[in-house]
């Protein structure tokens, strides 16, 4: 009958909707919360810088304040000081703007990541995956948050492993 066919159509539709709700949403289908106006290279570097600097700030204060308060305080203050971003690939004001954009877009993910106490590299990989999508990070300068000065001896790069006097 017509009524039975209508009920069957509704049941099939409900089943399809229920099954589709359990499927993961592909990353490219999720609506990005990252700003479109930002250069991706800058945004990627700013994301990594934000994660590194948050880790430094949290590590310094968590024993005194507790992990949760240290995370909250660090997230409130990490982008405020432009001089915090002098060791990265782009000018500090650009990294600072990127820091604010990353925090605005990814605050929940960042907080969750630090609550889980993952390594800085894992945090950068997870939190910054979208910000760094399409950015060739292998050809970029490697920055860990620490500036490393190259030393030359007699015109050759000195790595500190050779015997002899400087």
């Amino acid at each position: 009958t017509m009524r039975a066919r209508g009920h069957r159509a509704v049941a099939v539709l409900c089943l399809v909707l229920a099954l589709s709700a359990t499927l993961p949403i592909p990353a490219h289908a999720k609506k990005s919360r990252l700003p479109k106006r930002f250069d991706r290279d800058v945004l990627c570097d700013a994301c990594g810088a934000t994660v590194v600097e948050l880790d430094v700030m949290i590590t310094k204060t968590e024993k005194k304040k507790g992990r949760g308060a240290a995370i909250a305080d660090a997230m409130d203050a990490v982008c405020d000081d432009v001089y915090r971003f002098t060791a990265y690939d782009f000018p500090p004001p650009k990294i600072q703007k990127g820091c604010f954009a990353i925090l605005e877009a990814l605050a929940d993910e960042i907080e969750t990541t630090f609550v889980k106490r993952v390594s800085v590299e894992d945090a950068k990989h997870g939190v910054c995956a979208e910000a760094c999508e399409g950015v060739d990070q292998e050809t970029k300068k490697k920055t860990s948050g620490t500036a490393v000065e190259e030393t030359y001896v007699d015109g050759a790069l000195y790595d500190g492993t050779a015997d002899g006097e400087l």
Side-chain angles (χ1 to χ4, degrees), residues 39-62:
D39 176 312
R40 274 296 180 179
D41 290 322
V42 174
L43 201 58
C44 177
D45 198 39
C47 187
T50 302
V51 169
V52 167
E53 297 302 327
L54 279 168
D55 184 65
V56 168
M57 293 172 76
I58 292 164
T59 302
K60 279 183 183 171
T61 62
E62 74 175 314

Side-chain angles (χ1 to χ4, degrees), residues 77-140:
V78 69
C79 302
D80 293 345
D81 183 4
V82 72
Y83 296 104
R84 186 183 316 280
F85 303 112
T86 57
Y88 298 95
D89 293 344
F90 293 94
K94 282 189 175 188
I95 298 294
Q96 185 182 36
K97 280 184 187 160
C99 178
F100 282 116
I102 291 294
L103 272 188
E104 187 177 317
L106 303 174
D108 292 343
E109 290 89 331
I110 292 169
E111 185 174 10
T112 302
T113 299
F114 279 101
V115 167
K116 290 180 186 172
R117 295 179 183 269
V118 301
S119 72
V120 175
E121 284 308 310
D122 287 348
K124 280 170 43 175
H125 183 73
V127 169
C128 302
E130 185 187 349
C132 294
E133 201 173 309
V135 174
D136 182 5
Q137 294 178 287
E138 293 307 309
T139 59
K140 286 176 52 183

Side-chain angles (χ1 to χ4, degrees), residues 1-11:
T1 67
M2 192 65 128
R3 180 175 277 179
R5 210 176 299 152
H7 287 298
R8 193 175 313 135
V10 169

